Amino acid sequence: MTTLPSILLVGGGRMGSAMLAGWREQGLEQAVIVDPSPGAATLAGPGITVVAAPAQIPPGFAPAAVILAVKPQMAGQALPEYARFAGQAVFISIMAGKTIAAISQLLGQAAIVRAMPNTPAAVRQGITVAYPSSHVSAKQRELADTLLAATGDVAWIEDENQLDPVTAISGGGPAYVFLLTELLEQAGLDQGLAPELARKLARQTVIGSAALLAASDEEAAQLRINVTSPGGTTAEALKLLRADDALPKIFREAIAAATERSRALSG
Ligand SMILES: NC(=O)c1ccc[n+]([C@@H]2O[C@H](COP(=O)([O-])OP(=O)(O)OC[C@H]3O[C@@H](n4cnc5c(N)ncnc54)[C@H](OP(=O)(O)O)[C@@H]3O)[C@@H](O)[C@H]2O)c1
């Protein structure tokens, strides 16, 4: 187990608390969490203090990293309070759509890593894509990588604009997989399966397929082919699903729409 340096977590909601769980497993010894919601108190533990406002951060607390995990619309109000840590800490922002330029306006000159995680971070199976501002040192990038890797895989990019398609693919991606699970369950009901069985089949098929993908050296396309006997039942379903105007088109358009929305929110 590694020992992580002290961190300041601003926003202990769904993503913030998921990341905190990962850091705890990695040997987090000292952290302060700022979150005004009453539920945040449950995040406190040995070495971990929860406060409701930045004015209550213990005097002298000098975090090596400040994680910005509030909603993007709270940034204007919340962030300027943390500008005083800019000299020493690397800021890691997971706020969707908030550009380095926008964050810098609120913090002044600061070392900022923009990161896009996803909710499987809660079970250490996330994927986070990270982009460093020009003020981030090699040591700070290493620290950011360690912190982000506590919740799953990390990929670094050199072009901030790529965070828009990343947001569309992996940021929102779990929602598409959950939708698939819902639709499979509904289709089972439509075919006359009992509700409990339809639910079980849909869930375990998604869970088992993901585990097989993780355990296999084969590409997703090959795993698909392995299930599909020519002329069989799966082939019949895939003929409809993979038609040019069906899923390939819908996915292309849906991801393009989400990417566009991410761009619009960043503007
Ligand atoms: N959820 C995802 O899938 C996902 C994926 C990638 C990135 N993100 C990003 O992660 C960030 C957090 O999302 P989330 O889903 O974790 O939201 P969330 O569950 O609403 O968490 C935000 C937390 O911040 C608290 N808060 C509000 N104002 C604050 C302030 N001034 N200072 C400190 N804490 C404050 C909120 O308390 P109250 O509830 O009392 O307001 C809440 O506990 C967002 O910027 C989002 O874009 C989320």
Side-chain angles (χ1 to χ4, degrees):
M1 187 193 269
T2 54
T3 299
L4 298 175
S6 59
I7 65 157
L8 176 60
L9 173 63
V10 184
R14 266 168 307 176
M15 279 309 306
S17 60
M19 296 173 89
L20 182 72
W23 299 327
R24 276 185 151 139
E25 276 191 7
Q26 296 285 308
L28 180 65
E29 290 195 333
Q30 202 192 17
V32 173
I33 301 163
V34 184
D35 193 312
S37 67
T42 58
L43 299 173
I48 301 175
T49 308
V50 180
V51 298
Q56 296 158 12
I57 295 171
F61 181 64
V66 179
I67 322 301
L68 303 171
V70 290
K71 293 279 190 202
Q73 55 270 32
M74 300 303 297
Q77 176 201 324
L79 266 52
E81 304 265 14
Y82 302 92
R84 62 190 157 113
F85 297 110
Q88 82 214 26
V90 58
F91 287 80
I92 303 175
S93 167
I94 65 162
M95 295 180 293
K98 280 280 162 209
T99 60
I100 297 272
I103 299 167
S104 299
Q105 274 189 357
L106 298 166
L107 292 175
Q109 184 168 312
I112 302 164
V113 170
R114 227 185 119 187
M116 176 47 59
N118 62 6
T119 54
V123 288
R124 318 290 107 74
Q125 295 281 338
I127 171 80
T128 301
V129 176
Y131 170 81
S133 76
S134 55
H135 298 296
V136 175
S137 68
K139 205 162 157 243
Q140 288 174 322
R141 177 170 164 151
E142 207 176 302
L143 169 60
D145 191 76
T146 302
L147 290 171
L148 296 171
T151 60
D153 271 1
V154 184
W156 288 84
I157 54 173
E158 304 305 325
D159 175 3
E160 186 175 6
N161 292 322
Q162 293 215 327
L163 280 169
D164 296 313
V166 162
T167 300
I169 300 277
S170 60
Y176 320 145
V177 177
F178 298 135
L179 173 64
L180 173 69
T181 315
E182 294 172 64
L183 294 176
L184 263 184
E185 179 178 344
Q186 186 55 52
L189 293 176
D190 292 347
Q191 291 303 319
L193 294 181
E196 196 44 44
L197 183 59
R199 180 174 177 275
K200 198 170 180 173
L201 296 187
R203 289 172 66 95
Q204 191 52 38
T205 299
V206 171
I207 294 167
S209 304
L212 183 60
L213 190 61
S216 173
D217 291 333
E218 295 188 306
E219 294 295 325
Q222 186 57 48
L223 293 171
R224 168 174 55 74
I225 289 165
N226 294 349
V227 189
T228 317
S229 318
T233 56
T234 310
E236 202 58 28
L238 287 176
K239 213 189 300 173
L240 290 174
L241 292 170
R242 299 186 67 223
D244 285 344
D245 60 348
L247 278 189
K249 177 171 184 273
I250 291 169
F251 258 86
R252 235 183 354 259
E253 290 177 357
I255 296 302
T259 302
E260 205 36 61
R261 180 76 183 135
S262 176
R263 279 196 192 112
L265 290 173
S266 310

